[in-house]
Amino acid sequence: MKAIMLMFDTLNRRYLPPYGADGVHAPNFERLGELSATFDNCYGGSMPCMPARREMHTGRHNFLHRSWGPLEPFDDSAPQMLSAAGIHTHLVTDHYHYWQDGGATYHNRFSSYELFRGQEGDKWKGQVADPPMPQATASWRAGTPAWRQDWVNRQHLPTAATHPQTLTVDAGLEFIRTNHDSDRWFLQVECFDPHEPFLSYPEHRAHYLHAYDGDHFDWPDYRRVAEGQPTVDHLRAEYSALLTMCDASLGRVLDAMDAHRLWDDTMLIVCTDHGLLLGEHGWWGKNVQPWYDENIHTPLFIWDPRTAVRGERRASLVQTIDFGPTLLEYFGLQPAPDMEGVPLADTVATDQAVRVGGLFGNHGGHVNVTDGRYVYLRACADPSNQPLEEYTLMPTHMASRFTTAELRAAELAEPFPFTKGVPVLRIPGAAWGNPHHFGTLLFDLDHDPEQQHPLVDDAIELRMAALMTELMRRNDAPASQFERMGLPATGEVGPQHLLAHAQREQVSRSHAPLPPPADFRTDGPGVLTPIDELLNDPHGRDVLVGHLPMLAADGLRQMVAHLTPYRLAAMTPAISADQLSKLEADLATADTEVPA
């Protein structure tokens, strides 16, 4: 028995022909739909990238206990369990987060691995002089170290053949050629694409010729859409072109399955971690805004040679936490006792139901649940979005260690049921965005698949809140999460716990556009002045931090220093139009001298 998982990051199912996409050149995804079972109700779980991968390894949700980080010492890892049972596991990937601080324990769980460099702002090639960089006013990332590094890297990726996606698939095909006659192996081919930036090549963009006379734009920020429809259409074409490049990579893997007769004895899983908003709901990206359908309702294709189901669709509600248990069962192993995921063999065969509710979210964001029809996106009950805590023995963020200031407040907490008797650090947590500003949302996908008309229905909300609470308890959520969400850690969920009606004004306010930049002054310190300049002046700092306390944190300052308060407001509804106006007035009246 053999298995291959082909994973693409940020694969939006609405751009795939098997899910109804029109005008996207992806013939190999169409071919895949004919060769496998296509899942219509697959949802992500813990967001974004590395939290999703922790779920794939452990079969458990990550987001209720911890933000982005490594595998923990007490975690069960499906690839490691396979390796321990004598199944050779091999990872090939260009997903550069694996070699950052917050992903450093994942690839070593495989028997062997190859990593390919150069995606996004990967700290790959060293160049002191600035590389040629285009005018890019549409992208507010311009001017950041990651933006500069990306353009250093692009100089070394002149053709599709030199691109890390291609090299990753090359390495996967080499493993297949070397080992197709051998038994008991698992290959994970994991491509960073079509994650932004949407770098592709003329042969891919030729399918999406369109009129566009704006600045270079293939790397969206995670913020409100401030551009016109031509720019939105352009970015969607850039994403589609990169997806077409991914489709070609998929075709190469399918061709290898044909050439080596692997369909007879090899499972194939094609999946993703999440999607991306490309202008829908007035937003680019992910993480800040609620987890709308475009981001969390993911594509999934499975070929299982034991049942040989092809060209059929599956309606059962499945999630990322099912991937690890599915691989373990396929190779004859039992999932670990702490795994909440379910093997999908019977679902592939007969569409056997897996669960009545799927839980998903990111640490400190909305907590969400779906039953396959209704989607309940619950915001925090209090504007503070507290209490929020990190529970970990691996205190690293995405690309850094926890600071000493963060760790000074750490306490040793009692073990959770899944930590195998091991106590963990409890550390006060913080979130990039605040779900309270978006409010609580309830959607009926049968009647509102685009999620444009949130419901206020006490009976449905009560049922979905009870389902959410049940799943949080099953996943051993800490007491602080129940308190943050205004849900009972024990006992019944009642009408007093409902939020959709009480937070309806927040929902409306979060959709209100910002006033145009022309409404603000440019002849002195104001909301169009770079944040770093304002913070470098004592008076400006006092005013700015008084209005936006989050800017007192040095770590956040480093991330947003090149932005203006106006541009920062575009990234989160926490900064309203009214706040911008008040900040502008206070900066104008303060005795502020901004350095020239």
Side-chain angles (χ1 to χ4, degrees):
M1 304 295 283
K2 310 157 193 173
I4 299 171
M5 176 184 285
L6 175 58
M7 183 177 173
F8 296 100
D9 194 297
T10 314
L11 189 60
N12 188 326
R13 66 180 236 150
R14 296 184 177 216
Y15 282 73
L16 299 180
Y19 290 97
D22 187 23
V24 177
H25 182 75
N28 291 300
F29 275 101
E30 294 185 67
R31 176 181 167 196
L32 175 64
E34 297 169 354
L35 293 170
S36 63
T38 301
F39 283 74
D40 288 324
N41 274 308
C42 181
Y43 280 78
S46 296
M47 294 289 105
C49 301
M50 298 320 292
R53 282 152 184 79
R54 188 182 180 208
E55 290 198 344
M56 294 177 191
H57 279 252
T58 66
R60 291 190 60 86
H61 292 308
N62 169 94
F63 75 98
L64 294 169
H65 299 89
R66 198 194 69 181
S67 58
W68 183 303
L71 284 171
E72 300 279 353
F74 47 77
D75 279 347
D76 300 299
S77 164
Q80 187 171 34
M81 292 171 66
L82 292 171
S83 297
I87 294 122
H88 190 98
T89 60
H90 186 64
L91 170 70
V92 295
T93 184
D94 60 344
H95 198 285
Y96 75 102
H97 293 306
Y98 278 118
W99 47 90
Q100 292 180 307
D101 291 332
T105 57
Y106 290 88
H107 53 278
N108 281 306
R109 309 284 72 77
F110 290 80
S111 306
S112 53
Y113 55 83
E114 291 184 76
L115 309 177
F116 297 89
R117 304 295 302 272
Q119 287 282 15
E120 202 179 29
D122 179 19
K123 298 176 181 179
W124 179 35
K125 295 294 185 179
Q127 179 175 319
V128 176
D130 284 341
M133 291 180 282
Q135 178 76 12
T137 55
S139 176
W140 298 351
R141 296 180 187 273
T144 65
W147 170 269
R148 180 190 181 279
Q149 183 65 54
D150 185 63
W151 284 97
V152 170
N153 294 347
R154 290 194 193 202
Q155 297 174 110
H156 302 273
L157 310 174
T159 66
T162 62
H163 192 277
Q165 179 195 145
T166 304
L167 300 179
T168 295
V169 177
D170 286 347
L173 298 179
E174 178 189 14
F175 181 90
I176 291 173
R177 285 194 302 272
T178 301
N179 299 291
H180 69 274
D181 284 333
S182 300
D183 196 20
R184 293 172 63 78
W185 53 256
F186 166 57
L187 168 65
Q188 183 166 322
V189 181
E190 183 177 336
C191 300
F192 187 70
D193 294 322
H195 192 289
E196 71 277 1
F198 306 139
L199 170 62
S200 64
Y201 297 89
E203 59 266 38
H204 312 117
R205 294 194 295 272
H207 296 281
Y208 309 99
L209 298 177
H210 61 285
Y212 175 68
D213 60 0
D215 292 341
H216 178 90
F217 189 35
D218 64 8
W219 193 352
D221 307 282
Y222 294 176
R223 58 168 172 82
R224 303 174 198 252
V225 174
E227 296 76 19
Q229 193 59 45
T231 303
V232 173
D233 293 340
H234 167 72
L235 192 72
R236 290 174 177 174
E238 295 287 271
Y239 176 83
S240 298
L242 184 53
L243 194 150
T244 293
M245 183 177 174
C246 294
D247 182 80
S249 293
L250 168 63
R252 296 171 67 203
V253 174
L254 297 180
D255 289 345
M257 296 279 290
D258 290 341
H260 300 293
R261 301 178 62 85
L262 294 179
W263 300 106
D264 296 339
D265 61 359
T266 306
M267 173 178 277
L268 175 65
I269 301 173
V270 179
C271 61
T272 189
D273 47 3
H274 53 71
L276 196 75
L277 289 177
L278 292 164
E280 301 87 354
H281 308 283
W283 282 85
W284 302 120
K286 59 181 187 288
N287 297 345
V288 176
Q289 64 284 97
W291 288 97
Y292 290 113
D293 197 72
E294 292 85 354
N295 271 352
I296 200 68
H297 196 174
T298 56
L300 176 64
F301 306 87
I302 299 181
W303 161 257
D304 189 333
R306 297 172 297 180
T307 51
V309 171
R310 281 186 162 161
E312 296 184 15
R313 306 192 80 90
R314 294 293 177 256
S316 296
L317 178 58
V318 304
Q319 290 199 268
T320 309
I321 57 173
D322 300 324
F323 297 172
T326 296
L327 289 165
L328 292 169
E329 183 276 335
Y330 177 75
F331 283 104
L333 304 181
Q334 290 294 319
D338 293 324
M339 291 182 171
E340 289 288 332
V342 176
L344 297 180
D346 291 337
T347 307
V348 173
T350 64
D351 206 11
Q352 176 176 296
V354 175
R355 58 179 52 83
V356 297
L359 196 65
F360 56 91
N362 61 307
H363 190 254
H366 286 76
V367 176
N368 317 276
V369 70
T370 183
D371 62 2
R373 174 179 175 177
Y374 294 101
V375 178
Y376 183 48
L377 314 175
R378 186 178 175 98
C380 51
D382 185 84
S384 69
N385 196 29
Q386 291 292 326
L388 181 63
E389 299 167 333
E390 299 261 9
Y391 290 89
T392 181
L393 287 174
M394 303 290 288
T396 57
H397 298 300
M398 180 175 74
S400 66
R401 298 165 294 175
F402 274 45
T403 65
T404 53
E406 289 176 288
L407 292 173
R408 285 190 196 106
E411 299 175 332
L412 201 60
E414 291 295 315
F416 287 95
F418 60 88
T419 65
K420 302 177 175 59
V422 178
V424 293
L425 292 174
R426 179 173 55 228
I427 306 167
W432 167 249
N434 187 336
H436 193 269
H437 298 292
F438 285 98
T440 293
L441 298 155
L442 175 65
F443 295 104
D444 180 352
L445 294 184
D446 280 2
H447 295 97
D448 183 22
E450 303 303 318
Q451 296 178 309
Q452 297 295 319
H453 308 288
L455 302 174
V456 176
D457 186 309
D458 288 356
I460 297 173
E461 184 183 3
L462 184 61
R463 181 171 63 82
M464 297 302 290
L467 179 59
M468 174 181 291
T469 303
E470 176 190 345
L471 293 175
M472 290 175 66
R473 293 172 183 172
R474 185 185 303 169
N475 283 271
D476 306 303
S480 55
Q481 285 285 11
F482 291 98
E483 183 179 351
R484 183 177 75 96
M485 304 313 295
L487 292 169
T490 60
E492 296 292 322
V493 178
Q496 71 274 23
H497 298 114
L498 303 185
L499 292 180
H501 180 78
Q503 296 185 347
R504 189 156 196 176
E505 183 179 340
Q506 293 150 231
V507 174
S508 299
R509 193 163 52 238
S510 71
H511 285 81
L514 293 176
D519 287 3
F520 300 98
R521 64 199 297 251
T522 58
D523 59 346
V527 299
L528 301 183
T529 304
I531 288 171
D532 208 35
E533 292 185 20
L534 295 172
L535 290 175
N536 283 336
D537 178 86
H539 296 292
R541 179 183 175 85
D542 288 345
V543 172
L544 193 59
V545 173
H547 282 271
L548 306 175
M550 56 185 169
L551 293 178
D554 289 339
L556 181 60
R557 176 178 178 173
Q558 294 172 11
M559 294 174 61
V560 302
H562 67 293
L563 300 178
T564 65
Y566 181 88
R567 287 190 165 186
L568 183 62
M571 296 181 175
T572 170
I575 307 173
S576 66
D578 184 56
Q579 282 178 290
L580 282 176
S581 297
K582 291 178 180 177
L583 174 60
E584 175 96 336
D586 287 350
L587 286 169
T589 57
D591 183 18
T592 306
E593 294 182 5
V594 179

